[in-house]
Amino acid sequence: MEADRIRGLDGIRAIAILGVFYTHFVDGDSLLGDLAVRTFFILSAFLITAKLVALRDAEGFSFAALRSFYTRRALRLLPTYYAMVLALAAIGLVTIRDGLFYHLAFLSNVWFAMNMNWHPWVLAHIWTLSVEWQFYLIWPLVVLSCANRSVALVAAGAIAIALAFWLGCYVTGYYPDNMVLWSPFSLDAFGVGALVFFHSGMLARPVRTRLLAAILPAALWGALQLVETDGRPRLLLVVDFLLQILPLLPMAILIAITASGTSPIINRVLGARPLAYLGRISYGCYLYHFPMLWLMMHLMWRLFDYPLKRGIIQLVVVAIPTIAFSALSWEFFERPIQKWGAGRQKAPQAKITV
């Protein structure tokens, strides 16, 4: 079974998209959205590394192998993405002055970081997709041309680079919101995801011990986030920085356990059909949720003279049509493209070692 066909992993995607919904629709100060995005990064790196290793072992490093990888990624991600961006441009929500060409070139993170604002806000969320595509430009070259041990060392180096950037912010005191939009700040999540693939056996067993070892330090990190930083000694800020990677550990272990199948209970819960299906359509949910928010805000105002403000009502009013539209997009647009692409080429199976 291919790694991305494991239903439990779709369940993790579903939980992550619900975390994004909660932060964007209910509580903008919640950490759930940030943790959800980092979960997507970890899971993406995990699955992509698995596929690339299988491709390398089957075909070696070649232009054909690179073309095969990028063709599959493009067929999965680009049609829906460009359909959404161009539709927003057609109705005037995104113009050239709003960085249309940046968004089309998957440089949205650069656009928002340079302008230090979130305009146009209907595309504010796609900076994460730009970061992911920038990762895709480099990582296939690394995995296809190196042995597993070297790839793991590069992944560890990526984590070190991200931590170095975080440390620079803490030490200099320069920490504007737009800094995290630059790709190096997300390398820790991608590096962790790649390492999960190579060390999934160690992370998955024994389940209880690994979960406890990850949850305790992550809980410490969460507690520190509740403490005001103003007036705190610089040493404590540096310690806070050193704990930055801790929240990634529970996610990494959960992904390893789920992919390995060592916990039937976790797989049964995360693999439940409704949750797994939501995870399967989570890409569409992520793409469409801000445009759907714009649409529902206008509809609620024009039809009912009601300002749709952040809260549970906004969550219900926007999330439900977003999920419904994403399901339609998957069944009648994304899935047919996937089937067409699968008929043209057969990808090597990605095996998860445990």
Coordinates of all heavy atoms in Angstrom, one line a residue, residues 28 56 75 99 156 166 168 176 215-216 219 224 227 233 235 253 288 326 336:
G28 N -8.2 33.7 16.4 CA -7.0 34.1 15.6 C -5.7 33.9 16.4 O -4.6 33.9 15.9
R56 N 14.1 6.4 -6.5 CA 15.5 6.3 -6.7 C 15.9 4.8 -6.7 O 16.8 4.4 -7.5 CB 16.2 7.0 -5.5 CG 17.7 6.9 -5.5 CD 18.3 7.2 -4.2 NE 17.9 6.1 -3.3 CZ 18.0 6.2 -1.9 NH1 18.3 7.4 -1.4 NH2 17.6 5.2 -1.2
L75 N 0.2 17.2 -11.3 CA -1.1 16.8 -11.6 C -2.0 16.8 -10.3 O -3.2 17.0 -10.4 CB -1.1 15.4 -12.2 CG -0.6 15.2 -13.6 CD1 -0.5 13.8 -14.0 CD2 -1.6 16.0 -14.6
G99 N 0.1 41.2 -6.7 CA 1.1 40.2 -6.7 C 0.6 38.9 -7.4 O 1.1 37.8 -7.1
A156 N 18.8 16.5 8.9 CA 19.2 17.0 10.2 C 19.8 18.4 10.0 O 19.6 19.3 10.9 CB 20.2 16.1 10.9
W166 N 15.7 30.8 13.8 CA 14.9 31.2 14.9 C 15.8 31.8 16.0 O 15.4 32.8 16.6 CB 14.3 29.9 15.5 CG 13.1 29.4 14.7 CD1 13.0 28.3 13.9 CD2 11.8 30.1 14.7 NE1 11.7 28.2 13.4 CE2 11.0 29.3 13.8 CE3 11.2 31.2 15.3 CZ2 9.6 29.6 13.5 CZ3 9.9 31.5 15.0 CH2 9.1 30.7 14.1
G168 N 18.6 33.5 15.6 CA 18.9 34.9 15.2 C 17.8 35.8 15.5 O 18.1 37.0 16.0
P176 N 9.4 40.2 13.5 CA 8.1 40.6 13.0 C 7.4 39.4 12.4 O 8.0 38.4 12.2 CB 8.6 41.5 11.8 CG 9.9 41.1 11.4 CD 10.6 40.6 12.7
I215 N 5.2 14.0 24.5 CA 4.1 14.8 25.0 C 4.6 15.7 26.2 O 4.3 16.9 26.3 CB 2.9 14.0 25.4 CG1 2.2 13.4 24.2 CG2 1.9 14.8 26.2 CD1 1.1 12.4 24.5
L216 N 5.4 15.2 27.0 CA 5.9 15.9 28.2 C 6.7 17.2 27.8 O 6.4 18.3 28.2 CB 6.7 15.0 29.1 CG 5.9 14.0 29.9 CD1 6.8 13.2 30.8 CD2 4.8 14.7 30.7
A219 N 4.4 19.7 26.1 CA 3.6 20.4 27.1 C 4.3 21.5 27.7 O 3.8 22.6 28.0 CB 3.0 19.4 28.1
L224 N 5.2 27.4 28.2 CA 6.1 28.6 28.0 C 5.4 29.7 27.1 O 5.6 30.9 27.2 CB 7.4 28.2 27.4 CG 8.4 27.6 28.4 CD1 9.6 27.1 27.7 CD2 8.7 28.5 29.6
V227 N 3.4 32.3 28.8 CA 4.2 33.3 29.6 C 4.5 34.5 28.8 O 5.0 34.4 27.7 CB 5.4 32.7 30.2 CG1 6.2 33.7 31.1 CG2 5.1 31.4 31.0
P233 N 14.4 37.6 31.1 CA 15.8 37.6 30.8 C 16.1 37.0 29.4 O 15.4 36.1 29.0 CB 16.4 36.8 31.9 CG 15.4 36.9 33.0 CD 14.0 37.0 32.3
L235 N 18.4 35.0 28.6 CA 18.7 33.6 28.7 C 17.4 32.7 28.6 O 17.4 31.7 27.9 CB 19.4 33.3 30.0 CG 19.7 31.8 30.3 CD1 20.6 31.3 29.2 CD2 20.3 31.6 31.7
I253 N 5.8 11.4 15.9 CA 5.6 10.1 16.5 C 4.2 9.5 16.0 O 4.1 8.4 15.7 CB 5.8 10.1 18.0 CG1 7.2 10.3 18.3 CG2 5.3 8.8 18.6 CD1 7.5 10.5 19.8
Y288 N -9.7 26.4 -0.5 CA -11.0 27.2 -0.7 C -11.5 27.9 0.5 O -12.4 28.7 0.4 CB -12.1 26.2 -1.2 CG -11.8 25.4 -2.5 CD1 -12.0 24.1 -2.5 CD2 -11.2 26.1 -3.6 CE1 -11.8 23.4 -3.7 CE2 -11.0 25.4 -4.7 CZ -11.2 24.0 -4.8 OH -11.0 23.3 -5.9
S326 N -15.3 21.3 -1.5 CA -14.1 20.6 -1.6 C -14.4 19.1 -2.1 O -13.7 18.5 -2.9 CB -13.3 20.6 -0.3 OG -12.9 21.9 0.0
P336 N -10.6 12.8 -11.1 CA -10.5 12.4 -12.5 C -9.1 12.7 -13.1 O -8.5 11.9 -13.8 CB -11.6 13.3 -13.2 CG -12.6 13.5 -12.2 CD -11.9 13.7 -10.9

